[in-house]
Each structure stands twice: as structure tokens, then as C-alpha cells.
């Protein structure tokens, strides 16, 4: 009893899943993804083994339709399953079993699979597809996924109501410190407005766990360096880098303090 979108970015570098449901901790069951391999959402009477199996099939070179066929032909409960897959090349496939609670169905296109069951109606997946197609192909995948999820919710979403939402996005080297592929891994397990809460968390994720772009960087001259160091000392820290690390802003301050993120500077100056 869930709606989701599985997608690949237009540049072919990023894969992700966004999902919402009237179900506790939907992110614990539905999404899986590996950079350079693909992404999958398993839902309805979810067979969580589909996640590892689908990614294994994709990693071995199967396309999304082939991987999907292998999953369902080996599963006696396939009439109760719903699954969406996007592969390395952006080919998509979706399956809705005949016994899934209505309304249930899905849509696919180049780089995306959208599916849902126990929905208010077909308008939910249609609104998600429209939002996805209207999005800027160059925008961050997580932003496009969120927009599609929000559109589905606005169109009625899960007809039982709201409870949880989640997002998983992967890209090579995108994880913390560049040491894994997890660009975004956020879950709202139990909340009256889970998609709004997911949006709030995504904004915080951007601040704390995403490196500053060139456009966000303010060069630090001698006067600004003095200002920053004085601020940190007055706040009880050894130096500015100690303050930045304590506040978890280390991805938005240069190691040599040659630049500082404009948002962090606004926080320092009390403008945020």
C-alpha cells in the first residue's frame, strides 16, 4: 500500500528511489540501489528479497525487463507483488500483480518507473509522471524524485492516509568522505506529514552532507579570516575549524580556510 518512483538521472550518473506509504518505516522495506548497477522498489505484499536479487541480475548484465521477469517467474506470490526497476542504461520496468489492492498500477518511460497500490486512483501515478517529466533534467535527482513524490501525494496518494516516506540516491563516490556511493539516504518512519518532513530533511542533508559548489563559496581574505577566528574563539573554540567541525559544517569550509560557504557565513553573522 505504497507509491514510489525509481529513476536514473539524465546524465546517467545517479540512480534513486523515493517512496511514501501509510506504513511504518517504508524505507526499511522498499528501496534499494547501487551506483553503476541500478535501482529497485519492492512493495504491495513486498518481497524484500527482490532487492538483492534484482540488483544481482542487473549487475550480471540483465536489463530491467529481464531482471523483472526473472523475479516474478520464480515467485509464487507474484500476484500480490509490485515492483519497479531501472537499470544501468535507464531502461525501466514495472510489475503490478493481479491481487494488489486497487487502485494499483504503474507507468514507465525513459529512465523512470512509477508504481503504486491502494491508491486514490490512477491520477496518483499520472501526477507523479507529469511532475517527473516537467522537471529540469539537469537538476539533482533527489530534487526531481521529491517533486514527483509530492505530486503523487497531492493527487491523493495512499488512500488510507500518510505515515512514512523515504529516499535513497546513489552515485559513485558520492557518500560521506567520498568513500561509498550513497548520496542520499533519508527516512521519515512515522510522521503526520512525511513528505513535508522528508523535504525538510533533504534541505538539512544538503547543508550538512553535500560539498559546497563553486557558486556557493566566498573567498576568505585576511579581514574575513580574522572575523571567523574571532567568532570561533568567542564561542569557546580553539579555532574556526574546530567550530566548523563541532557544528558539522566541515564539507562547507575549505581545509585551509581559503573559502567558506555563503550559508555558513550567514550563520556566523547571524543572518540565517
Amino acid at each position: 500500500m505504497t507509491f514510489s518512483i525509481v529513476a536514473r538521472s539524465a546524465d546517467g550518473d545517479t540512480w534513486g528511489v523515493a517512496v511514501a506509504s501509510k506504513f511504518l518505516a517504508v524505507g526499511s522495506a522498499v528501496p534499494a540501489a547501487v551506483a553503476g548497477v541500478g535501482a529497485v522498489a519492492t512493495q504491495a505484499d513486498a518481497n524484500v528479497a527482490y532487492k538483492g536479487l534484482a540488483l544481482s541480475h542487473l549487475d550480471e548484465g540483465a536489463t530491467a525487463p529481464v531482471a523483472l521477469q526473472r523475479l516474478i517467474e520464480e515467485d509464487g506470490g507474484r500476484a500480490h507483488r509490485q515492483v519497479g526497476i531501472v537499470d544501468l542504461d535507464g531502461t525501466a520496468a514495472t510489475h503490478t500483480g493481479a491481487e494488489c489492492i486497487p487502485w494499483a498500477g504503474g507507468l514507465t518511460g525513459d529512465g523512470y518507473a512509477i508504481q503504486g497500490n491502494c491508491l486514490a486512483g490512477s491520477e496518483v501515478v499520472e501526477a507523479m509522471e507529469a511532475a517527473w517529466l516537467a522537471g529540469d533534467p539537469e537538476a539533482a535527482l533527489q530534487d526531481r524524485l521529491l517533486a514527483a513524490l509530492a505530486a503523487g501525494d497531492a493527487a491523493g496518494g495512499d488512500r488510507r492516509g500518510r505515515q512514512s516516506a523515504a529516499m535513497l540516491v546513489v552515485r559513485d563516490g558520492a557518500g560521506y568522505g567520498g568513500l561509498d556511493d550513497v548520496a542520499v539516504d533519508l527516512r521519515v518512519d512515522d510522521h503526520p506529514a512525511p513528505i513535508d518532513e522528508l523535504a525538510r530533511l533533504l534541505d538539512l542533508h544538503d547543508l550538512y552532507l553535500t560539498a559546497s559548489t563553486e557558486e556557493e563559496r566566498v573567498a576568505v581574505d585576511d579581514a574575513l579570516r580574522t572575523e571567523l577566528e574571532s567568532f570561533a574563539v568567542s564561542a569557546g573554540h580553539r579555532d574556526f575549524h574546530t567550530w566548523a567541525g563541532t557544528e558539522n559544517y566541515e564539507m562547507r569550509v575549505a581545509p585551509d580556510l581559503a573559502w567558506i560557504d555563503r550559508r555558513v557565513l550567514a550563520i556566523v553573522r547571524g543572518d540565517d
Side-chain angles (χ1 to χ4, degrees):
M1 287 68 84
T2 299
F3 55 103
S4 68
I5 175 170
V6 184
R8 191 196 72 164
S9 62
D11 62 12
D13 288 342
T14 312
W15 293 258
V17 181
V19 57
S21 182
K22 179 67 169 65
F23 182 87
L24 180 68
V26 69
S28 68
V30 171
V34 173
V37 176
V40 57
T42 177
Q43 54 201 55
D45 184 3
N47 183 341
V48 295
Y50 276 8
K51 295 187 286 186
L53 290 170
L55 292 171
S56 178
H57 293 322
L58 295 178
D59 194 36
E60 292 169 356
T63 62
V66 170
L68 176 59
Q69 183 59 35
R70 291 177 182 173
L71 292 179
I72 61 177
E73 70 184 6
E74 297 169 359
D75 184 1
R78 57 185 173 272
H80 300 273
R81 316 294 192 206
Q82 190 170 54
V83 58
I85 304 175
V86 172
D87 64 25
L88 172 67
D89 297 320
T91 304
T94 189
H95 163 77
T96 298
E99 298 300 321
C100 290
I101 298 174
W103 189 91
L107 299 167
T108 63
D110 184 19
Y112 67 89
I114 297 168
Q115 46 282 314
N117 62 95
C118 198
L119 301 184
S122 63
E123 61 269 22
V124 176
V125 295
E126 291 162 0
M128 293 174 71
E129 181 180 51
W132 171 261
L133 294 174
D136 179 358
E138 296 184 5
L141 182 61
Q142 54 265 34
D143 294 335
R144 296 190 69 191
L145 292 173
L146 182 65
L149 200 66
D153 185 60
D158 186 328
R159 61 186 173 86
R160 301 169 303 161
R162 303 177 176 93
Q163 186 169 11
S164 66
M167 182 181 295
L168 175 63
V169 176
V170 297
R171 184 177 66 254
D172 279 336
Y176 188 78
L179 299 177
D180 67 18
D181 68 350
V182 181
V184 178
D185 187 3
L186 296 173
R187 284 174 36 178
V188 179
D189 287 345
D190 186 26
H191 195 281
I195 296 176
D196 289 345
E197 179 65 4
L198 184 63
R200 186 185 73 85
L201 293 179
L202 190 60
D203 187 56
L204 291 177
H205 176 278
D206 183 58
L207 175 61
Y208 290 114
L209 296 172
T210 303
S212 302
T213 64
E214 290 291 338
E215 293 75 18
E216 294 172 318
R217 297 175 179 180
V218 175
V220 176
D221 57 19
D222 289 343
L224 181 52
R225 183 180 295 266
T226 297
E227 177 187 348
L228 296 174
E229 296 293 357
S230 296
F231 166 82
V233 171
S234 66
H237 298 279
R238 181 178 63 233
D239 52 31
F240 187 73
H241 272 297
T242 302
W243 175 83
T246 300
E247 298 297 323
N248 301 315
Y249 295 135
E250 56 267 34
M251 295 186 72
R252 291 194 170 268
V253 176
D256 60 358
L257 202 52
W259 55 264
I260 181 173
D261 185 273
R262 57 179 172 77
R263 285 183 286 179
V264 176
L265 181 58
I267 291 166
V268 168
R269 291 175 169 172
D271 298 330
D272 186 63

